[in-house]
Amino acid sequence: MTLPARKAAAPLIEMTASEIAASVASGETTCEAVARAHLDRIEEREPQVLAWQHLQPAQVIAQARRLDQSGRRGPLIGVPFGIKDIIDTSDMPTEMGSPIYAGHRPRGDAACVAFSRKAGGVLMGKTVTTEFANRHPGKTRNPHDPARTPGGSSSGSAAAVADGMVALAIGTQTTASTIRPASFCGVFGYRPTHGDLRCVGVKEAAGSLDTLGLLARSIEDIALYRDVLLGASPEPLPADARAPRIGFCRTHFWPRAEPGTQQMIEDAARKLARAGAQVKDVELPAELEGIEDAHRWISSFEFARNFTWEIENHWDKISETLRNGRLKDGLSCSFERYREARDRAERCRRLLAPVFDDHDVLLTPAAAGEAPVGLNSTGDASFCLIWTTAHVPALTLPVFKGPHGLPVGVQLIGKRNADRALFAAARWVYRALS
C-alpha cells in the first residue's frame, strides 16, 4: 500500500475528532483520506514510539472505504481511534499484555468498541497495555522522549493520541492508568464517574474501581466521546460557562510532588483567581488519609480472584512484577480485610461529597512531575488514587511544561455524577491557563 506524503497528511493528523467528523460530513475530506493520513503518521513514528500491539493498514483502509461507500454519517464519522489491548475486538486479537493470551481472538466487540463503530469511527488497531493493565510495563516509549515512560497502564493509548496517530483512544483506570499517562504524554485524559460507561468486553482488574478512560486532543472531544459511549445524542458544552468555584486541594500526597510541580500548580491557582475564579484552599477530612490502604486491599483482593484461571494454569507466564506485587497482596488478603477496606472506601466517599457543596471542582496534581527516565516503571500513581477510590470524575489538562520541557498535567476533580459540569469548568480553566 502506498501512503500519502507526510506533508499532505499533516493537517488531518492535527485535527480534533470533532473537526475530522465535521470535515467528513461536509465532504471536505473522506474517511479513507483521514485513515491514510494517520497510517502515514504511524508508519513514520511507530518505530520510535511503539504504541501499537496490533495494526493492519489494509484492514483500516477497508473499514474507511466501506464507510465512504455507505454514505453513513455519525458523530464520529471517519474519526480514527485506538483501543487498549485488554478490550475485546471481533476482528483483531486481544492479548492483554501477556503471553498467556498471545493470538487470543474474541468473538465480539466490547460495548465501547461497538458504540465507537456505530458512531462512524474507524478502529486503527489495538494499543499497548501493561500486563493485564497492571504494573509490568509494555514496550511503548514516551513520544516526547523515548528514554522515558509514557505512564501506564494505558500507555499505548496515551502515546498514540499525543503523537498524532489517532484522534481518540480508549484506556482504562483502576488507579491512575488514564490520568497519569495523559499527564506524561501531554493530552487530555478523562476518568468518568464510576459505573457510567459500560465495561462489557473489558478484562476486569478490580470491578469496584475499574472504569474506561478516554484520551483526546480537546475537552470537547472528551465530552463528545462520552456521549457516544453512553449511547446518547451528543450535546455541545455550554458556550457561556461561568467562572468556577475551585478548591485548591493539595491532599496528603502533596510532599510526593516534585518542587517544580508544586510551584506550577500554586502559580496556576493564583492565575485562575486573577482570571475571575473563586479559588480557596481545601483540606480533605482526615479519614481520607487511609484511602490508600483501602485501595490497596480492594484492588489486590479482586484482582487475584479475577485471575484465578491464569494463576492456576499459567503461573510461570505471569511476570515477577505482578506475582510479587498485586497478586502477592491479593492472595494474602482475607475476605474480612477486604470487606473492611470496602467499608472504609464507602465512608471516604460520603465524607468527600460535602466538599463539593462549596466548590465546583478541585485543583490537584495529576502526577509528581514529568515522566521519569527509564522504562521499568510507569511512575507514581498516588495522585489519582483518592479520586479513583472515591468514584468521582477526573480530567487532566495538558497545561504545563516541566524543567526538561516535557508535559505535566493538572488534574481537575468533579462531583460524583456531575461529569458535564466538570467538562464546562475544565474548559474555562484550560482557556485561562493557556
Side-chain angles (χ1 to χ4, degrees):
M1 181 181 69
T2 302
L3 295 169
R6 174 75 176 86
K7 183 177 180 181
L12 289 173
I13 68 166
E14 293 169 4
M15 286 183 176
T16 66
S18 304
E19 291 167 343
I20 289 170
S23 294
V24 172
S26 69
E28 293 176 20
T29 189
T30 64
C31 298
E32 183 175 346
V34 173
R36 286 184 178 276
H38 286 81
L39 286 170
D40 183 42
R41 177 63 173 176
I42 293 169
E43 183 179 64
E44 175 191 351
R45 290 285 295 159
E46 176 62 4
Q48 291 76 45
V49 180
L50 302 174
W52 297 93
Q53 186 64 30
H54 180 84
L55 180 77
Q56 288 188 337
Q59 186 176 12
V60 173
I61 295 301
Q63 285 182 75
R65 283 178 177 165
R66 285 195 298 270
L67 284 169
D68 285 332
Q69 292 164 2
S70 72
R72 279 181 52 198
R73 291 294 178 262
L76 296 183
I77 188 65
V79 174
F81 70 100
I83 292 292
K84 184 176 182 177
D85 195 29
I86 62 164
I87 300 173
D88 284 350
T89 44
S90 60
D91 51 358
M92 301 175 185
T94 302
E95 298 183 328
M96 307 187 207
S98 169
I100 297 170
Y101 285 90
H104 170 63
R105 288 270 182 173
R107 185 175 181 86
D109 284 343
C112 60
V113 178
F115 271 126
S116 301
R117 296 203 215 236
K118 180 181 177 182
V122 176
L123 177 55
M124 302 294 283
K126 305 299 282 291
T127 54
V128 172
T129 177
T130 63
E131 180 189 27
F132 297 125
N134 213 272
R135 296 176 185 173
H136 188 66
K139 62 183 179 180
T140 306
R141 273 60 174 155
N142 192 300
H144 301 279
D145 180 350
R148 296 174 185 261
T149 179
S153 60
S154 306
S155 47
S157 293
V161 173
D163 210 49
M165 298 176 178
V166 287
L168 296 172
I170 297 181
T172 60
Q173 181 157 311
T174 308
T175 308
S177 292
T178 295
I179 297 296
R180 177 179 49 182
S183 178
F184 286 169
C185 292
V187 297
F188 295 88
Y190 163 60
R191 196 265 188 191
T193 293
H194 184 269
D196 277 5
L197 302 182
R198 299 300 88 213
C199 290
V200 171
V202 181
K203 184 68 170 177
E204 180 178 310
S208 295
L209 303 168
D210 291 352
T211 65
L212 297 180
L214 307 186
L215 298 126
R217 299 176 187 166
S218 73
I219 295 169
E220 290 79 7
D221 282 0
I222 295 284
L224 169 65
Y225 208 7
R226 175 178 180 266
D227 284 339
V228 165
L229 297 179
L230 287 171
S233 297
E235 285 186 48
L237 294 176
D240 55 350
R242 60 174 174 80
R245 300 171 301 162
I246 299 172
F248 183 10
C249 189
R250 292 172 176 82
T251 82
H252 62 283
F253 293 121
W254 183 253
R256 299 187 191 180
E258 296 170 7
T261 301
Q262 294 177 353
Q263 186 63 56
M264 286 187 288
I265 295 180
E266 288 170 345
D267 290 346
R270 288 189 285 269
K271 186 173 182 180
L272 293 170
R274 290 195 299 270
Q278 182 184 112
V279 182
K280 295 181 180 179
D281 284 351
V282 171
E283 287 192 18
L284 299 179
E287 182 157 357
L288 269 78
E289 293 189 14
I291 205 168
E292 183 173 19
D293 196 54
H295 177 279
R296 175 185 177 184
W297 297 115
I298 293 168
S299 61
S300 61
F301 180 93
E302 294 184 1
F303 187 92
R305 281 143 188 86
N306 286 335
F307 285 84
T308 298
W309 180 82
E310 291 83 356
I311 292 167
E312 291 298 309
N313 294 281
H314 296 286
W315 181 252
D316 60 323
K317 294 182 180 178
I318 298 172
S319 71
E320 290 289 334
T321 308
L322 190 50
R323 285 190 293 194
N324 294 327
R326 184 144 290 167
L327 285 178
K328 183 178 180 180
D329 278 352
L331 293 171
S332 71
C333 181
S334 68
F335 177 73
E336 289 71 27
R337 171 178 261 180
Y338 166 67
R339 186 172 56 193
E340 288 170 4
R342 280 196 323 193
D343 289 345
R344 168 168 273 187
E346 198 52 53
R347 287 197 304 274
C348 289
R349 290 168 197 142
R350 291 195 297 268
L351 288 168
L352 180 62
V355 172
F356 290 96
D357 291 345
D358 300 317
H359 304 94
D360 300 311
V361 293
L362 304 180
L363 175 75
T364 193
E370 295 174 320
V373 174
L375 302 171
N376 294 323
S377 168
T378 55
D380 188 345
S382 302
F383 301 94
C384 305
L385 187 150
I386 294 175
W387 321 115
T388 296
T389 311
H391 288 176
V392 292
L395 189 66
T396 186
L397 311 179
V399 292
F400 301 136
K401 295 289 184 184
H404 299 93
L406 300 173
V408 179
V410 65
Q411 187 174 195
L412 293 178
I413 308 301
K415 181 179 179 180
R416 194 172 178 180
N417 300 318
D419 297 50
R420 281 186 62 83
L422 170 62
F423 298 157
R427 187 170 63 176
W428 190 97
V429 168
Y430 182 68
R431 289 172 175 174
L433 294 179
S434 298

